[in-house]
Amino acid sequence: MNQATDLYPAELATSYRMGFTVGEHSAGHMRRILHMFLTRWELVRLSDPATLALTELVANVVRHVPDRRYSVLILREPHGLRVEVADGVPGTLAAKAGGPLDEGGRGSSSWRP
């Protein structure tokens, strides 16, 4: 099990980046790490949309990445939050904007309060 700890004061830690291999409980671990940073940054109000996006992005790794390895970036921006998931699969997939009722295709997301 991966464990995240609060190592830095809030003014120093404005991002979190780590590499993982998807396992049975990966999305749950990532949600706990995300919540820890949102709490520390006083951005808990962004928890629901950020958690949903992160869960969807990790699920995409399970569905589409053969070795299931990925890295996650949680970035505190001046006016919000950015959550990214990247894999090591060569090439780039062009994503189109999804509609509000689409079940997938949302890619990365940013939020602003």
Side-chain angles (χ1 to χ4, degrees):
M1 176 172 122
N2 295 317
Q3 183 175 1
T5 56
D6 194 1
L7 300 175
Y8 307 104
E11 62 272 12
L12 296 178
T14 59
S15 69
Y16 171 83
R17 183 184 299 268
M18 180 64 107
F20 295 91
T21 301
V22 174
E24 183 179 331
H25 302 289
S26 294
H29 294 310
M30 290 310 311
R31 286 190 294 267
R32 282 191 289 284
I33 291 169
L34 176 62
H35 191 282
M36 180 189 74
F37 279 96
L38 292 176
T39 300
R40 184 72 164 152
W41 296 334
E42 298 178 354
L43 294 173
V44 175
R45 66 191 176 279
L46 300 178
S47 186
D48 287 344
T51 299
L52 176 61
L54 181 59
T55 301
E56 288 291 321
L57 293 170
V58 171
N60 285 342
V61 172
V62 171
R63 283 186 214 111
H64 303 294
V65 178
D67 66 4
R68 293 190 172 184
R69 284 192 261 185
Y70 70 102
S71 64
V72 65
L73 171 66
I74 302 169
L75 178 64
R76 180 181 180 186
E77 294 184 326
H79 302 288
L81 176 74
R82 182 172 186 86
V83 176
E84 296 179 0
V85 170
D87 59 54
V89 176
T92 303
L93 296 175
K96 64 177 185 167
L101 299 178
D102 289 351
E103 289 188 28
R106 289 178 180 83
S108 66
S109 298
S110 294
W111 299 274
R112 289 179 177 46

